[in-house]
Amino acid sequence: QVLLVESGGGLVQAGGSLRLSCAASVTVLSADTMEWYRQAPGKQRELVARLNVLDSPNYADSVKGRFTISRDYPENTMYLQMNSLRPEDTAVYYCHVPTLGAWGQGTQVTVSS
């Protein structure tokens, strides 16, 4: 059984910042793709950011220039730094490692006007 646990969500005013963390219960290899998704009320879950150590990170157009995905190998942790947050960013955010077939439980991010 593989567990991914997100943390760092919360309530923030528009223009503020949050840093999300995702801790894995097993070692994540450097070649493993790591992803962040989000799902807003009434909307389909969407890919926000993807990181492969062999490639440059990829971001949804809506978050380019504001969000940064990164990883910490010794602690099997990945991060999503979110700056210049907007009310439209309000959603539950999930981490995902496709090669492990693992999803986190989600962490709520709420951005007020």
Side-chain angles (χ1 to χ4, degrees):
Q1 184 178 0
V2 178
L3 296 177
L4 301 177
V5 180
E6 301 96 338
S7 62
L11 175 64
V12 64
Q13 293 182 344
S17 299
L18 286 173
R19 187 194 190 198
L20 305 184
S21 299
C22 175
S25 63
V26 299
T27 299
V28 179
L29 300 178
S30 61
D32 289 328
T33 296
M34 307 187 75
E35 302 173 332
W36 284 97
Y37 281 75
R38 69 184 181 187
Q39 188 165 23
K43 295 186 176 181
Q44 190 172 350
R45 187 174 298 186
E46 66 170 334
L47 179 65
V48 175
R50 173 181 286 140
L51 180 65
N52 187 309
V53 71
L54 300 178
D55 298 319
S56 299
N58 298 304
Y59 301 96
D61 288 342
S62 59
V63 306
K64 284 182 179 178
R66 300 188 298 118
F67 290 11
T68 302
I69 186 172
S70 61
R71 61 197 296 168
D72 181 1
Y73 293 112
E75 300 299 326
N76 298 315
T77 304
M78 66 173 174
Y79 305 94
L80 186 68
Q81 178 67 45
M82 305 185 295
N83 299 323
S84 302
L85 284 163
R86 306 165 181 170
E88 308 89 81
D89 296 318
T90 295
V92 177
Y93 285 72
Y94 302 87
C95 58
H96 181 228
V97 183
T99 55
L100 298 178
W103 290 86
Q105 84 288 348
T107 186
Q108 176 71 49
V109 172
T110 302
V111 184
S112 62
S113 300

